[in-house]
């Protein structure tokens, strides 16, 4: 391979001459580091074709995966957050919200919609971690409450897809009230005998786990999702002991009786719709 060895030294290619694959053509799995086509990855429900790592995705991808032909009607699409506490940390809260809206193209950390999933009419609420860590503030609580109202009015099952760091600190007590509000709405759904399925994805923690995410008629999770209330560091320091292996993984939580089953994202649509058909 002598022709392959560079004879002259110091050959520098200017940046503009370098050829690159178009952005977004390839996807590198953060778990096994293997490379695949973005298209192939998307067709595989955003899971790695080599190691089945489930990439963290948001509402746009989930709606595309679940609603037939990506057809759905969004509820309360323009609801945005107020600033009841005039809260400032490194930034004023309204500035943080505005810049996050601009950066993500989302209005808050949850989107709600209804449509058809296989043969089933369904209402789905899906959290977006990209919006301030999927934190639950007043808008998240209100949109979920209204989506449950929609389920009640139309007698369609409700699917909640959670991915959240917990309550939104910038709304303090107002965030915590959302736990009671969403739980009360879910109680009405239960009284009406309408099924509620809660899907916990990586990560689901804090006030979200402590309220609607664990109140499903079926609580299900994606493989290896981190599920917990407090973070492992806090728990370790509190109990002063090392934590067992795999602590707070979906598999661990399933084994300890807090989940009904774990579902591979590629099977999510078919499994959930056939489960709901059985319940009808
Ligand atoms: Zn992989």
């Amino acid at each position: 391979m002598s022709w392959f060895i560079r004879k002259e030294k110091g050959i520098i290619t200017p940046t503009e001459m370098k050829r690159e694959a178009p952005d977004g053509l390839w996807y590198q799995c953060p778990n096994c580091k293997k490379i695949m086509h973005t298209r192939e990855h998307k067709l595989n429900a955003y899971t790695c074709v080599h190691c089945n790592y489930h990439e963290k995705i948001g509402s746009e991808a989930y709606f595309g995966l679940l609603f037939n032909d990506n057809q759905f009607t969004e509820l309360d699409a323009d609801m945005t957050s107020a600033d009841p506490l005039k809260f400032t940390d490194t930034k004023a809260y309204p500035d943080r919200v505005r810049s996050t809206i601009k950066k993500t193209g989302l209005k808050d950390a949850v989107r709600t919609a209804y449509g058809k999933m296989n043969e089933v009419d369904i209402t789905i609420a899906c959290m977006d971690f990209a919006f301030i860590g999927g934190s639950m503030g007043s808008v998240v609580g209100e949109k979920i409450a209204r989506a449950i109202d929609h389920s009640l009015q139309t007698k369609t099952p409700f699917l909640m897809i959670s991915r959240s760091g917990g309550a939104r600190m910038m709304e303090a007590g107002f965030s915590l009230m959302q736990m009671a509000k969403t739980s009360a709405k879910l109680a009405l759904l239960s009284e009406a005998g309408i099924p509620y399925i809660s899907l916990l994805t990586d990560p689901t923690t804090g006030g979200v786990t402590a309220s609607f995410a664990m109140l499903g008629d079926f609580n299900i999770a994606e493989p290896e999702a981190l599920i917990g209330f407090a973070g492992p560091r806090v728990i370790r320091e509190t109990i002063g002991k090392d934590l067992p292996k795999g602590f707070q993984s979906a598999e661990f939580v399933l084994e300890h009786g807090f989940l009904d089953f774990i579902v591979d994202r590629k099977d999510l649509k078919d499994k959930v719709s056939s489960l709901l058909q059985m319940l009808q």
Side-chain angles (χ1 to χ4, degrees), residues 188-226:
L188 296 178
L189 205 62
S190 173
E191 262 173 42
I194 298 167
Y196 166 42
I197 294 180
S198 172
L199 172 70
L200 293 86
T201 70
D202 188 44
T204 298
T205 58
V208 168
T209 314
S211 59
F212 55 82
M214 279 294 183
L215 290 174
D217 297 311
F218 289 87
N219 295 324
I220 63 178
E222 287 188 346
E224 292 179 30
L226 180 121

Side-chain angles (χ1 to χ4, degrees), residues 233-243:
R233 190 181 51 84
V234 175
I235 300 173
R236 199 181 300 118
E237 282 169 12
T238 309
I239 63 170
K241 276 184 193 165
D242 274 337
L243 299 167

Side-chain angles (χ1 to χ4, degrees), residues 35-106:
I35 298 210
M36 66 212 80
H37 246 276
T38 308
R39 191 159 33 98
E40 193 186 12
H41 185 238
K42 187 179 171 186
L43 284 174
N44 215 34
Y46 307 92
T47 62
C48 176
V49 294
H50 305 288
C51 73
N52 204 29
Y53 171 78
H54 281 49
E55 182 56 85
K56 297 175 171 66
I57 56 171
S59 58
E60 193 189 344
Y62 276 110
F63 288 170
L65 287 172
L66 296 175
F67 287 120
N68 299 349
D69 308 316
N70 201 17
Q71 294 291 309
F72 58 88
T73 310
E74 193 167 347
L75 297 159
D76 307 301
D78 291 320
M79 196 186 291
T80 55
S81 189
D83 183 21
L85 302 174
K86 309 275 174 268
F87 191 91
T88 305
D89 48 281
T90 51
K91 258 186 198 176
Y93 181 46
D95 295 341
R96 185 180 297 282
V97 169
R98 247 193 314 273
S99 68
T100 311
I101 289 174
K102 207 171 151 202
K103 195 173 74 192
T104 59
L106 298 160

Side-chain angles (χ1 to χ4, degrees), residues 76 79-82 93 107-112 125-129 131-148 158 160-164 166-168 171 174-175 177-179 181-182 207-208 211-212:
D76 307 301
M79 196 186 291
T80 55
S81 189
Y93 181 46
K107 294 285 165 66
D108 211 289
V110 75
R111 280 171 73 217
T112 53
C126 181
M127 300 192 80
D128 281 295
F129 199 80
F131 200 98
I132 319 184
S135 52
M136 173 181 55
S138 316
V139 173
V140 168
E142 183 62 20
K143 282 177 88 167
I144 292 171
R146 290 186 190 196
I148 298 168
F158 181 56
M160 178 76 228
I161 303 172
S162 296
R163 165 165 292 143
S164 174
R168 187 171 298 171
E171 292 187 29
F174 289 92
S175 286
M177 288 176 202
Q178 309 312 313
M179 296 168 69
K181 181 161 78 183
T182 51
V208 168
S211 59
F212 55 82

